[in-house]
Amino acid sequence: MASPYNPPHGPHRGKQPSLSQLRAFAAVAEHLHFRDAAAAIGMSQPALSGAVSALEEALGVQLLERTTRKVLLSPAGERLAVRARAVLDAVAELMEEAEAAQAPFTGVLRLGVIPTVAPYLLPTVLRLVHRRYPELDLQVHEEQTATLLEGLAAGRLDLLLLAVPLGVPGITELPLFDEDFVLVTPHGHALAGRDDIPRDALKELRLLLLDEGHCLRDQALDICREAGRTDGAEVTTTAAGLSTLVQLVAGGLGVTLLPRTAVTVETARNTALCTGLFAEPAPTRRIALAMRTGAARHAEFGELAEALRADMAGLPVRVVGAGP
């Protein structure tokens, strides 16, 4: 039996009860018997009694009335027993949540996707998630590259699906595939239907591009510069999306470049459009997942990348490995 309680002298400051002390007190409050309480929580009776005494010391409150025959809760003990149980229940919930968080592919995954990828690859991504990761709450955000990178750095987004390389410190890229660019022309254009278009054909074409801010615009301009196109050559920028671009091409306003994954979706229903393939090596872009370097879910994201590579093998792309 514990020694008689001696209230501490002076103001009570700076002492925090331990979870072990709270468990001991909650058990005594439930059983009103030291031996039964000790057995219930797997603690020796002396240790239990000492823990309760230490809790009284830490709180500066007498919790129990001890006699030779029985244990009673003091008025303060009755009130604080409810609080102690609430704390222990909350800790148990915290541990359960932590255990659930350790399970891969559960909870929320906030995926950012660029507009020139989202309509063409999301069906594959969503089918994969639905089939293999049914417990994953996938939330998709379609934004331009700069906004996506800001969201990833700020923690608003967890993972990105976009064109690389990014050249941004603190970002790890998980490459998925390379895809060629295709020249989209009006029906009857001199380059329509060819499969050996030289890159230097881009020098003088009336090229239609996306608005500023789209990475595909920058990639197309880089391709044109590599082909010898000068900055002064005519470029008409009037479209916010690829669907609008191909409609402008169909109307005879010029030609444009599309990634292979977008060709079927954007051109299949319009007989006024034709496509042409470039001679090897064709201009390409690389698509990857991007995460914060050292992300807590890095192993999970790596597994997701591997699963996506397998599912994207049927697309008109060249799947690449996880290496640099």
Side-chain angles (χ1 to χ4, degrees):
M1 187 70 67
S3 59
Y5 171 74
N6 294 311
H9 298 288
H12 168 71
R13 288 190 185 94
K15 296 181 180 179
Q16 293 288 332
S18 69
L19 290 177
S20 178
Q21 293 166 1
L22 292 174
R23 289 191 189 97
F25 171 55
V28 173
E30 179 181 353
H31 295 278
L32 295 177
H33 195 286
F34 275 90
R35 185 181 62 222
D36 293 347
I41 63 174
M43 182 181 284
S44 70
Q45 187 172 334
L48 178 86
S49 181
V52 174
S53 295
L55 179 62
E56 290 177 317
E57 178 71 19
L59 297 177
V61 174
Q62 183 176 349
L63 301 172
L64 304 177
E65 295 179 4
R66 301 163 176 86
T67 71
T68 56
R69 296 192 174 201
K70 58 185 177 180
V71 177
L72 297 175
L73 292 175
S74 69
E78 291 181 356
R79 294 172 57 188
L80 294 180
V82 177
R83 297 287 188 180
R85 176 47 56 193
V87 170
L88 293 172
D89 288 345
V91 170
E93 291 174 2
L94 173 68
M95 298 304 294
E96 290 174 3
E97 188 69 24
E99 184 177 352
Q102 294 176 18
F105 302 106
T106 59
V108 175
L109 174 58
R110 299 163 297 180
L111 177 67
V113 191
I114 56 175
T116 58
V117 162
Y120 320 115
L121 298 184
L122 276 180
T124 299
V125 174
L126 295 176
R127 282 193 298 269
L128 171 67
V129 170
H130 180 74
R131 184 179 76 251
R132 292 189 56 168
Y133 313 119
E135 299 302 315
L136 187 64
D137 180 9
L138 183 65
Q139 299 178 1
V140 177
H141 302 261
E142 184 184 36
E143 300 166 9
Q144 293 183 7
T145 299
T147 307
L148 291 179
L149 290 173
E150 291 172 359
L152 186 66
R156 178 174 60 84
L157 299 173
D158 303 309
L159 191 64
L160 308 181
L161 179 60
L162 73 180
V164 297
L166 299 168
V168 178
I171 301 294
T172 296
E173 299 170 6
L174 304 173
L176 299 176
F177 62 83
D178 294 331
E179 64 176 327
D180 293 342
F181 281 99
V182 172
L183 186 69
V184 181
T185 69
H187 188 75
H189 191 279
L191 298 177
R194 288 181 54 176
D195 60 5
D196 60 349
I197 301 172
R199 289 200 192 196
D200 60 10
L202 294 170
K203 288 182 180 180
E204 305 300 332
L205 293 174
R206 183 183 175 90
L207 192 63
L208 305 172
L209 298 178
L210 293 174
D211 290 334
E212 296 279 356
H214 289 275
C215 63
L216 186 59
R217 171 192 171 91
D218 298 329
Q219 291 162 352
L221 289 174
D222 287 341
I223 292 168
C224 291
R225 279 190 287 268
E226 291 172 4
R229 187 185 181 100
T230 63
D231 291 339
E234 184 176 9
V235 174
T236 303
T237 305
T238 55
L242 295 183
S243 296
T244 303
L245 272 184
V246 297
Q247 293 303 317
L248 296 175
V249 173
L253 298 186
V255 301
T256 195
L257 294 170
L258 286 187
R260 283 290 296 270
T261 52
V263 170
T264 299
V265 173
E266 300 298 349
T267 67
R269 297 181 180 180
N270 196 326
T271 58
L273 293 171
C274 287
T275 58
L277 304 181
F278 289 91
E280 295 293 338
T284 65
R285 72 170 181 175
R286 173 163 290 187
I287 300 300
L289 294 176
M291 64 181 178
R292 291 182 295 275
T293 301
R297 302 169 75 179
H298 66 93
E300 182 180 339
F301 295 159
E303 183 179 334
L304 177 61
E306 190 60 38
L308 283 172
R309 292 185 194 106
D311 273 30
M312 289 176 175
L315 298 175
V317 301
R318 294 181 298 280
V319 175
V320 296

